[in-house]
Structures are given as C-alpha cells and as structure tokens.
Amino acid sequence: MTQLDTAPVTGGTRPRHHDHFIDGDWVRSSGEIIERRAPATGLLVSQVAAGTADTVDRAVAAARRAFEDDRWSQVSGFERAAVLHRVADLISTHAETLARLDAEEVGKPILVARADVAGAAQLTRYAAGLAIQMQGTTHTNNGPEHTGLVLREAAGVVGLITPWNFPALILSQKLPLALAAGCTVVVKPSELTSSSAAAIARLYAEAGLPDGVLNVVTGDGRAGAALAEHPDVDVLSFTGSTATGRRIIAASAGNLKKLSLELGGKAATVVFPDADLDAAAAGVVFGGFFNNGECCVAQSRLLVHTDIAEEFLAAVRERTAALRVGQPLDETTDVGALIHEAHLRAVVGAIDRAEEAGATVLVGGSRASSPQLAGGSFLVPTVLDGVTPQMAAFSDEIFGPVLTASRFRTTEEALALANGVDYGLSNSVWSRDIDTALPFARGLRSGSVYVNTVIDGPPTMPFGGYKTSGIGREMGQAGFEEFTELKSVSIRTGTRPGRFTIGTPPAS
Ligand code: NDP
C-alpha cells in the first residue's frame, strides 16, 4: 500500500520533500527549493522543487505522449471509471492523512479539511460515472440520406493550476473530470500547499493510472505561467485570483487554449425581515467565517433590512464572538491561521482602511492575542458595520475572516447592492416567502445562489462565475464538458443528387 510522506504532521522532525511527478517517476530537481512554514506555528513543514519552464516542458511532453499512445484516451469509459473508483477508495482510506496535510499547510480547521477530503472522494466517484456516460448525439433530421454524428471526444492535454485555500478539494473538482473524459494532465499546485497534490498523485499511480497520464510540477507562479503559455496544452483550468486569471488569458493567447477560470468573489447574504432569523444568523456566520473566510464563495457582505438590522446584527455579533480561534489540528477550532503573515497584514490593513472610511468594528478587528497563538497568523473574526458601497471593503475581496454589514430598505435597493460589485460568483438570500426569495434569486447576477442556506450543493451542480468571477463551469455535466471537444461527422448515403453544384461538366 502507498505510504504517504506525512512528516511532520504525524510527529516527525524532518520536513516533507516533494519532487515533480513526471511520466510515472518522481523527478528530483537540482534547482531552487521552496520552503513552506506552517502558518499556525512558523515551523518548516515541507520543501518543494521549484519547477521551471523546462520542467513544465518535460511534463507536457509526457502528457502528450500518454494522450497519443491511447492507453487512457481510447480505453473504454468503464476502464477509466474503474481506476477512478479505486482512487476514490484510496482517498477515503487515506482521508485523515490528506486532511492533516491540508490543515497544516493551509492553517484551516481540521474539521473543514476532513470535509474537503470527503468531497474529493465524492467528486472522484462522480467523475467515474461521467466516464461511463460520455456520449454525443445523432442527427437524422436532415433527410433520409444524411446521418449526423456529434462525437464527444477528450480535448487533449490539460493544464490544471490550483490555489492554496482548498488544495485537495479544488484539485478534485478538476482532475478526475479531466481524466474521466480521457484527457492527460499536468497539475501545478500552489507553492504554499503542494503536499496533498503530491500524495494524491501517489494514490492515482497505486490505482493503476498509466504513466504520463497525470503529471505534477511543483513550484510558484513561474511554473504556472509556463503551463499557461505552453503551445502544446489544449485546455487550461485555473482557480485563483482574478488578477492571475487576466494574466492567464493573455498567456494562453498563443495557441488559443480553451480556458476555464474560477476566480474571486464578493458574495452578499441578503436577509429579509420574514426570514427565520436564527437560521439566517447561523448561516451568515458560517458563510462569512467558514475556512477562515479564505474562500471564493465566502458570503462576506451581509445586507440586512433596516427593520431588523439592530436585532439581527446583535445575534451575528454574539455568534461571531463565540467562534473559537485555534490551532488547525485542534478538533474544537472554528477559525485557524491565515495562509501567511503577509496575508494577515493585508487583511488587517483592509479593516483599518474601512474604519478610517467610517465603518465600525462590531467584534474582532485585530490579531489574536492569546499566547498559545503567538507563533502564527491568527486574526479574531471581525464584523464591520456601516459599510457603504463607496468603501473598498464593500467591493474588494478581503479573503479573510471579515464580514461587512450594510442595510437596505427595499427589495430593489437590496438587489442593486448585491449586484453592485464586479464579482458574480455566489450570493445568498434569506426569506420564508417564495414570492420574495425566488424572484430575488433570479435577479442576482452570480453563478450560484443559495436560498435559506449557504455554500451548499452537490457536485452534480455546475459551479462558476458571472462577470469577473470567471469563465466556464466546474463540476456537473457542464464542468465535465470543459474537458471535451465536439466533432460533427456528416455521413451521406444514397445517390447524392444535385449536392455538388460546382465543377459539373456541361451536358453533352
Ligand atoms: P493566485 O491567483 O495567486 O494563485 C493561484 C494559482 O496560480 C497558484 O498555483 C499560483 O502559484 C498560480 N500562479 C500565480 N501566478 C501565475 C501566473 N502568472 N500564471 C499562472 N499561474 C500563476 O491565487 P491564490 O492561490 O492566492 O488563491 C486565492 C485567490 O483564488 C482568491 O482571489 C480567491 O477568490 C480565488 N479562488 C477562487 C475560487 C473559485 O473557485 N472561483 C476558489 C478558490 C480561490 P503560486 O501560489 O505557487 O504562486
């Protein structure tokens, strides 16, 4: 059985080391090494090889050979599904190890990391089902002598670039679906959180994935940029910031790659007076502070009706103050450490600027003062009241445990506020009245809407953004189709009367 390198989460004293995984081999890099310190403790936990353009080139060449030798792209969907089911089983077997790797490197609570890994196994199983069902269409409506076949085919070599906030989960929103379609893959995980991607690559190898079908190049944005501009990559699926997404669009122009971009968000939670206010307060706090607020679907803007604002904000403040900030591996922790010290400073800077602009801190607002947390980048979960659309805190993604609160009087005003940002990834609405909630949901300009719930939905539903939150969809049938191409085959039988109207010799 595969041994995963888990030191030091299991108490070891040496950092983990990850090489690149290319063509079925772990390729030691002689170049630069990137060190990762756990954000909760400052201890060195892993070292990864810094991939270069040459490393990316080798990985893409391996993926191209694997695509063309047909051991994966041309086998039956049942064979691909069998491998993916074995991977899902292995992810479940190693779930606790994978969760601890992500909790340690991200600083996220272990309970969240466990849910991520369970989601990764579920997505892999879902992808197995898609492998079996991959199908095109037939067209017989163009006369008796024409039959049209629309073939759905694997798109080719796929590059996957993933961020640090949900390492195992976001990898699994992309990788198994690309493999289910018959594509071959080069993954570039975030330099900050490479361990679970390396571990998952070992599990795919153990499950029998042919060499070269999955390759992992570790490293920083330079390796990501090399993948984005590589002329032999057919599809690039990226999750990360909108700023990097824009760079990827430019870099991919050379060979006009097919792009799928899951970018930032600035979701609103809209609370109407007729909502179940207890449930809504619980949802607002979960949506704002889940995964330390380092979440593209963080419901980071509360919009509350003026009639209930005071009472509702008191409930939100009380629940926020009760959140336990603590070590990621502690089972009782609700909010862990932010990804690194520089990010913590950026989040504190955003809070300070909001205060200078006239917002009030209802709770939190500073780094955690407990001596047990002194070695890490911990912030007290923060609620800012009186935030107006003119303030940067209303429209800029803060990506930390910071919730802003604004008030509205009418449904029209609430909709304008919710839609009044450049992002459009997700939003939520709380009302017991379907005649309020449903038209409001339909008016929201975002790829996901949660009604009387937050951050919810199975992998069968597509996920992605309107506006600057992205291009394309992940998960669901739509997410699967990002990794496929359609080929229209026209077949004509019979006498072909009069179809070819040029080049006909004159009648003698
Ligand atoms: P980044 O955009 O900084 O990085 C994402 C990935 O891209 C990392 O692997 C990074 O490498 C790599 N990268 C950096 N520069 C380039 C480049 N020029 N070309 C190609 N790849 C590059 O995002 P973060 O990792 O900081 O993640 C946080 C951001 O991601 C937030 O804005 C958040 O909203 C968004 N996000 C969106 C999600 C969605 O589904 N819509 C989900 C999760 C996060 P490295 O880190 O090693 O530098």
Side-chain angles (χ1 to χ4, degrees):
M1 186 176 164
T2 297
Q3 295 299 312
L4 302 182
D5 185 358
T6 60
V9 274
T10 50
T13 51
R14 65 180 173 82
R16 300 179 286 275
H17 181 88
H18 302 298
D19 298 316
H20 312 295
F21 183 59
I22 299 177
D23 215 1
D25 277 333
W26 293 92
V27 180
R28 186 144 282 249
S29 165
S30 54
E32 197 184 323
I33 297 293
I34 299 170
E35 297 195 327
R36 176 64 178 149
R37 292 184 178 275
T41 58
L43 296 175
L44 179 64
V45 288
S46 58
Q47 299 171 317
V48 296
T52 62
D54 282 349
T55 327
V56 168
D57 218 23
R58 281 178 68 180
V60 172
R64 176 58 62 190
R65 280 194 303 277
F67 186 72
E68 283 173 1
D69 77 9
D70 295 351
R71 280 173 305 148
W72 186 253
S73 57
Q74 297 299 325
V75 299
S76 83
F78 288 95
E79 282 181 59
R80 290 200 291 272
V83 172
L84 291 167
H85 277 302
R86 282 199 290 277
V87 172
D89 289 342
L90 287 166
I91 290 175
S92 299
T93 304
H94 292 279
E96 185 59 18
T97 301
L98 293 168
R100 290 168 78 86
L101 291 172
D102 275 1
E104 183 179 68
E105 288 187 358
V106 181
K108 63 165 64 196
I110 184 70
L111 296 183
V112 176
R114 284 185 189 138
D116 293 354
V117 173
Q122 191 183 42
L123 281 156
T124 309
R125 253 183 235 297
Y126 172 58
L130 290 169
I132 294 169
Q133 289 177 28
M134 181 163 165
Q135 58 200 6
T137 50
T138 55
H139 298 252
T140 52
N141 56 354
N142 195 29
E145 297 186 336
H146 179 269
T147 303
L149 303 178
V150 179
L151 308 179
R152 186 170 291 285
E153 300 185 334
V157 173
V158 170
L160 304 179
I161 302 177
T162 55
W164 47 260
N165 54 349
F166 292 94
L169 182 64
I170 291 180
L171 178 63
S172 304
Q173 288 175 197
K174 303 174 187 292
L175 175 61
L177 277 76
L179 295 175
C183 294
T184 59
V185 176
V186 178
V187 176
K188 206 299 283 178
S190 167
E191 70 194 281
L192 302 169
T193 56
S194 303
S195 290
S196 59
I200 286 171
R202 286 187 193 279
L203 301 182
Y204 272 93
E206 183 182 340
L209 191 73
D211 292 349
V213 173
L214 167 60
N215 307 273
V216 180
V217 175
T218 56
D220 58 21
R222 291 169 293 180
L227 195 55
E229 70 190 23
H230 201 289
D232 208 21
V233 171
D234 300 297
V235 179
L236 193 105
S237 173
F238 166 82
T239 299
S241 62
T242 297
T244 306
R246 289 197 170 96
R247 278 183 220 117
I248 284 179
I249 290 172
S252 65
N255 70 330
L256 293 179
K257 286 178 189 62
K258 192 173 177 189
L259 289 181
S260 166
L261 305 177
E262 303 298 338
L263 308 176
K266 188 74 180 176
T269 305
V270 182
V271 183
F272 286 96
D274 68 344
D276 174 342
L277 295 184
D278 258 359
V284 164
V285 171
F286 180 85
F289 301 110
F290 166 70
N291 203 54
N292 305 340
E294 294 170 316
C295 186
C296 53
V297 288
Q299 307 292 296
S300 56
R301 290 184 298 146
L302 165 61
L303 307 180
V304 58
H305 195 280
T306 42
D307 288 355
I308 52 161
E310 295 311 316
E311 170 200 356
F312 191 73
L313 281 170
V316 168
R317 183 179 51 213
E318 190 184 354
R319 283 177 179 275
T320 305
L323 291 171
R324 285 158 304 215
V325 181
Q327 289 293 337
L329 296 176
D330 180 340
E331 308 265 336
T332 65
T333 291
D334 296 312
V335 176
L338 299 195
I339 187 72
H340 47 55
E341 187 61 30
H343 186 52
L344 172 73
R345 284 198 296 271
V347 174
V348 171
I351 296 169
D352 291 347
R353 283 192 296 282
E355 274 193 276
E356 283 159 21
T360 343
V361 175
L362 279 188
V363 56
S366 57
R367 71 184 303 154
S369 57
S370 147
Q372 290 89 341
L373 304 180
S377 43
F378 294 91
L379 184 81
V380 184
T382 300
V383 180
L384 293 169
D385 192 14
V387 172
T388 64
Q390 292 70 37
M391 297 180 194
F394 185 87
S395 47
D396 292 355
E397 190 179 40
I398 296 176
F399 221 61
V402 180
L403 177 70
T404 68
S406 315
R407 291 158 171 74
F408 67 87
R409 283 182 189 286
T410 64
T411 305
E412 295 68 33
E413 190 189 353
L415 195 58
L417 287 169
N419 285 336
V421 294
D422 290 340
Y423 294 112
L425 191 59
S426 70
N427 287 293
S428 51
V429 51
W430 293 79
S431 166
R432 285 192 173 105
D433 183 351
I434 194 72
D435 288 333
T436 302
L438 189 56
F440 198 86
R442 293 181 65 152
L444 287 166
R445 302 262 305 140
S446 60
S448 295
V449 177
Y450 311 112
V451 178
N452 296 329
T453 182
V454 284
I455 313 182
D456 204 351
T460 50
M461 292 174 76
F463 173 72
Y466 283 35
K467 302 193 277 183
T468 63
S469 288
I471 298 173
R473 291 294 178 268
E474 281 195 339
M475 305 195 288
Q477 182 67 25
F480 176 62
E481 290 175 3
E482 301 281 350
F483 301 113
T484 67
E485 289 280 11
L486 293 178
K487 179 183 286 172
S488 293
V489 179
S490 277
I491 305 164
R492 201 159 274 279
T493 51
T495 54
R496 300 174 178 79
R499 279 196 47 77
F500 308 119
T501 53
I502 57 171
T504 310
S508 51

